[in-house]
Amino acid sequence: MFAATRRWLNRNRAPFVIGAGVIGAGYLATQYVVSKLNEARQRMTEDRISKENLRLHFQQNQEDCTLTVLAHLPTATENILEAIPTERITQELQQWRAEKLTRSGATSEVTPSEPSTGPPSVADDDGRSLGSLQSDGYVHASQMAGSTSESLPKTKKTKVQLWKELKISSATRAFTFIYTISLLTILTRLQLNLLGRRNYLSSVIALSAPSPSPSISLQNNDHPTVSPAPNRDYETNRRYLAFSWWLLHRGWRQLHAQILAAVHEVLDPLPIRSDLTLNQTAEVILSVRRLVEGPTDSARKAKRWLSYLLPDIPADEELVLRESGMGLLPDDAASALDPAAQRTASASLRRLLDETADLVDSPPFNSVLTLLLDAAFTKLSLELARQAFGQAEAEIAEPVVVEVEEEEEEEEEEEEEKSVRLATVLAVLTRQAHSIGAGVPNEYLEALDKVPELEALSAVVYSSRWEWEGEQEKQAEAEAEETVPEKKVVEVAEKGEDLLETAWGKAIEKGEGSL
């Protein structure tokens, strides 16, 4: 029996071997396919988690940008209000009016309907306009000491001179606030997104690196000769963020001089007793914008904003670090003792400043800034329409100021538009200047945050140049030891600029989407 079984197995040995091989191969193939599917599923899960973490980190970064702008606004507001004391001119006008009434023997019982010594349209409107300029009680803290007529020096200026100063001051201050908050918003977005990208990449690299073997070590950090290892990235970030000081204390003054010249050119020919319609007011705003930003699209694209945002010479950079309190701190003691570490930190700061300058000089920056200014001036126009002309927001079919365009001929409307005195418009501009700088909630900042292109630019800065950033990190040690050739620096800058342009084009094509 066993011999027969053995002979049968010998005769059918080949089919058994083939069958076993097929089954084994099928099993191995199945296990291979299953393992690959598991790996693909795991990769997809990790990618989804990574993208979600990146998205959440990006959204948190944008919220931090808004909070940072709100934290910087009081400084800008204080500087602008001190430099452009519109309320003081208003008080001088009220003092002049009181002295005139005293000289003419007028009493407190005089009603607005009684005739005055000046032209009727001037006397009545002056009183109402001066009242409206201070109706909301907006007086800066530095001007509180001069809030009474006794504390003000006797002015030798005439009423016409005071009204001309008030006309220029009200418009210039409101426009300066709009340009400052727009530039501060986009600068903060650039700074925090550059740092957010850098920190996120560093954290990913740290997580992917193999963890050292766990060990316990004792350190005596209280000993005077022992100092903890410095956090070079933290100190570099602090110094980099300190450069917003330039816009808050120097840059806005340069911009104010340009705005002041534009306002003089547009408003000087306009008498204080003139009547303005809503469209005429919008045209005045538009004319000032053309003079500041450029009359044509090509001129606006060629406009350079870098000098308002960052210092352009080493002496001014040292001034920023010194004035912002970023000198040699206790945390920097170890870096000061280690020249290589100090050179590495300086090289990192230099790269951040250079990349920021490249972004500011890029066409996407000018495009986004123009849209931010459109949004801010649209908000201002809506407030003028509501407060000065008595139009509800629902009655305004289209925003008054949407974009700076060449003047187009339009057919005159058959219906006569409502007109108000220029003094009424100035009163609204005076109140809106305080709303821009200290409004709670700040509706102008909310309008800027709603511009989709601002988030698109932030996404481009945050998510592009990953490989370029890695190359820069690898060059950090080399730059600390020796100077990088100028040709190589130019090549890296051009490569980064090309990557930015490509990423920006993709973001615009994608439109209003997520990161």
Side-chain angles (χ1 to χ4, degrees), residues 30 66 71 87 101 234 239 405 408 425:
T30 303
T66 302
E87 286 78 11
L101 290 176
Y234 175 72
R239 284 170 169 76
E405 297 178 344
E408 298 178 358
V425 176

Side-chain angles (χ1 to χ4, degrees), residues 462-482:
Y462 191 87
S463 60
S464 64
R465 296 191 182 185
W466 291 101
E467 297 180 359
W468 185 74
E469 183 75 25
E471 293 176 2
Q472 293 298 304
E473 292 296 332
K474 292 178 181 178
Q475 293 175 2
E477 299 298 333
E479 290 178 357
E481 298 296 334
E482 58 182 359

Side-chain angles (χ1 to χ4, degrees), residues 43-56:
R43 284 198 304 270
M44 292 175 61
T45 303
E46 292 176 354
D47 290 344
R48 184 171 62 253
I49 294 175
S50 299
K51 290 180 180 179
E52 182 65 17
N53 290 338
L54 182 60
R55 186 184 65 83
L56 294 176

Side-chain angles (χ1 to χ4, degrees), residues 80 83-84 168 172-173 175-177 179-180 250-265 288 291-292 303 308:
I80 294 175
I84 315 176
I168 300 300
T172 302
R173 190 170 71 173
F175 296 161
T176 301
F177 265 112
Y179 279 96
T180 301
R250 294 289 188 273
W252 78 265
R253 296 183 184 276
Q254 302 175 17
L255 187 60
H256 164 254
Q258 188 176 0
I259 296 173
L260 180 62
V263 170
H264 269 294
E265 183 173 343
V288 174
L291 292 173
V292 175
K303 173 75 174 180
Y308 308 122

Side-chain angles (χ1 to χ4, degrees), residues 5 45 106 108 181 277 285 303 407 435 446:
T5 302
T45 303
S108 59
I181 192 175
T277 64
I285 297 175
K303 173 75 174 180
E407 184 176 2
S435 298
E446 292 176 356

Side-chain angles (χ1 to χ4, degrees), residues 116-181:
S116 59
T117 56
S121 60
V122 177
D124 295 343
D125 288 339
D126 284 356
R128 288 192 294 268
S129 301
L130 288 173
S132 61
L133 281 169
Q134 290 191 335
S135 61
D136 289 346
Y138 286 127
V139 180
H140 186 239
S142 64
Q143 301 164 358
M144 290 300 293
S147 58
T148 59
S149 60
E150 292 79 11
S151 62
L152 286 174
K154 274 197 171 184
T155 177
K156 296 182 181 180
K157 299 176 182 178
T158 64
K159 182 178 69 172
V160 175
Q161 291 175 331
L162 290 174
W163 270 110
K164 286 183 177 179
E165 289 185 7
L166 183 63
K167 174 179 64 175
I168 300 300
S169 176
S170 300
T172 302
R173 190 170 71 173
F175 296 161
T176 301
F177 265 112
I178 287 181
Y179 279 96
T180 301
I181 192 175

Side-chain angles (χ1 to χ4, degrees), residues 280-440:
Q280 290 173 340
T281 304
E283 183 57 34
V284 168
I285 297 175
L286 205 55
S287 299
V288 174
R289 290 192 63 185
R290 290 192 183 104
L291 292 173
V292 175
E293 302 169 39
T296 62
D297 184 67
S298 59
R300 290 191 298 275
K301 289 181 179 179
K303 173 75 174 180
R304 293 180 59 86
W305 300 92
L306 183 60
S307 61
Y308 308 122
L309 299 176
L310 293 174
D312 52 1
I313 59 176
D316 288 339
E317 293 179 356
E318 295 176 1
L319 172 67
V320 170
L321 294 176
R322 184 172 60 253
E323 293 294 331
S324 59
M326 292 293 111
L328 189 62
L329 302 177
D331 291 341
D332 294 329
S335 294
L337 296 176
D338 185 0
Q342 194 172 19
R343 288 195 298 269
T344 301
S346 300
S348 298
L349 178 60
R350 182 75 267 157
R351 285 198 308 274
L352 286 170
L353 292 175
D354 290 344
E355 185 173 359
T356 305
D358 291 340
L359 290 170
V360 172
D361 285 336
S362 65
F365 178 90
N366 284 15
S367 301
V368 174
L369 180 59
T370 299
L371 295 174
L372 291 179
L373 294 172
D374 290 343
F377 278 105
T378 296
K379 176 62 180 176
L380 178 63
S381 299
L382 293 175
E383 292 299 326
L384 286 171
R386 183 174 62 85
Q387 299 183 27
F389 295 89
Q391 296 185 16
E393 195 166 322
E395 298 177 4
I396 304 175
E398 297 180 357
V400 181
V401 181
V402 177
E403 56 183 53
V404 185
E405 297 178 344
E406 291 294 328
E407 184 176 2
E408 298 178 358
E409 296 182 358
E410 298 181 357
E411 297 180 358
E412 297 183 357
E413 298 181 0
E414 297 180 359
E415 299 181 1
E416 184 178 357
E417 296 184 44
K418 179 182 178 180
S419 61
V420 297
R421 289 297 173 89
L422 176 59
T424 304
V425 176
L426 298 179
V428 177
L429 289 177
T430 301
R431 293 194 295 270
Q432 287 305 303
H434 290 274
S435 298
I436 299 171
V440 179

Side-chain angles (χ1 to χ4, degrees), residues 213-285:
S213 58
S215 60
I216 299 176
S217 60
L218 299 178
Q219 293 182 356
N220 183 14
N221 290 332
D222 295 332
H223 196 277
T225 61
V226 178
S227 59
N231 189 340
R232 291 195 305 243
D233 286 344
Y234 175 72
E235 293 302 326
T236 300
N237 294 351
R238 290 178 67 244
R239 284 170 169 76
Y240 175 60
L241 292 176
F243 276 83
S244 59
W245 183 93
W246 182 260
L247 172 62
L248 298 176
H249 294 84
R250 294 289 188 273
W252 78 265
R253 296 183 184 276
Q254 302 175 17
L255 187 60
H256 164 254
Q258 188 176 0
I259 296 173
L260 180 62
V263 170
H264 269 294
E265 183 173 343
V266 175
L267 291 186
D268 277 346
L270 205 60
I272 192 65
R273 294 190 298 270
S274 60
D275 294 333
L276 293 177
T277 64
L278 184 57
N279 286 336
Q280 290 173 340
T281 304
E283 183 57 34
V284 168
I285 297 175

